Amino acid sequence: TCISARTAIAVNIVAGSNPGVLSGTQTFCASQGAQFSSTVSGGTWSTSNPTLLSINPSTGNAQGTSSGPGTVNVIYTMPSSGGCTNPFATRTVTLIDIPLNPVNNTPAANSTICAGSTANLSVNPPASGTNINWFADSIGLSALVFGEFYTTPVLNSTTSYWVEASNGSNCRSARIKITVNVLPTPVSP
């Protein structure tokens, strides 16, 4: 038997990029956003379901969509090296449904008052177990009162109030506007 001369072959083992450890809120309202990060930079962000959660591929800033509740994976993928597959890490996120808007059921007679009077306003909650929060403006954080009914202070000019529904996870609906029209007090004859 003939044996040829042996030639050494160098094998270069390339370590794949490590995607690091991911962090970011894992449960939030479907209409809210969250910031995700990794202990390693240089990767690209994506999600397993962009119709539920969109994410900026370079910053990790994610935003829930109006498609409703669900579970989605946030994926951080590192570039491949040396022909290896792209290493990635995932973080499971649960999106909680936001409540529907409350429904104004204030009788028309209560929506128009004379100056110097109060108005009795009311809404129907969109679902059982939903909390109702009344506000003096469309973006304020401090509620005036909680519950389906609100008696205004004495009003001397037309005034609007905003109402939202919230659930046990503190997810909030859009605010609806309820306006109380205030008529001038009639002049005595």
Side-chain angles (χ1 to χ4, degrees):
T1 61
C2 298
I3 299 176
S4 66
R6 294 187 177 173
T7 304
I9 299 174
V11 176
N12 186 16
I13 298 175
V14 178
S17 301
N18 178 349
V21 177
L22 305 186
S23 62
T25 304
Q26 287 187 269
T27 302
F28 55 93
C29 302
S31 63
Q32 295 177 335
Q35 180 66 50
F36 293 91
S37 62
S38 173
T39 55
V40 175
S41 62
T44 303
W45 295 96
S46 62
T47 69
S48 60
N49 190 343
T51 60
L52 288 179
L53 183 68
S54 64
I55 193 164
N56 182 302
S58 57
T59 66
N61 187 24
Q63 179 64 49
T65 66
S66 60
S67 296
T71 300
V72 62
N73 287 322
V74 171
I75 306 159
Y76 187 64
T77 306
M78 296 301 291
S80 64
S81 58
C84 298
T85 59
N86 297 52
F88 64 92
T90 62
R91 188 164 179 87
T92 301
V93 174
T94 301
L95 300 171
I96 302 167
D97 203 6
I98 58 171
L100 298 173
N101 295 344
V103 177
N104 181 4
N105 69 354
T106 302
N110 290 358
S111 296
T112 301
I113 61 172
C114 292
S117 301
T118 62
N120 295 312
L121 309 176
S122 61
V123 296
N124 286 333
S128 176
T130 305
N131 302 310
I132 300 296
N133 313 308
W134 294 82
F135 296 87
D137 57 48
S138 63
I139 59 171
L141 299 176
S142 298
L144 297 170
V145 68
F146 305 98
E148 297 172 36
F149 305 98
Y150 176 55
T151 300
T152 69
V154 171
L155 299 176
N156 291 305
S157 62
T158 296
T159 305
S160 294
Y161 296 93
W162 285 261
V163 189
E164 70 182 14
S166 64
N167 60 24
S169 298
N170 206 27
C171 294
R172 299 171 183 277
S173 72
R175 291 186 184 172
I176 65 167
K177 181 179 179 180
I178 299 178
T179 299
V180 178
N181 295 307
V182 178
L183 303 174
T185 304
V187 178
S188 300

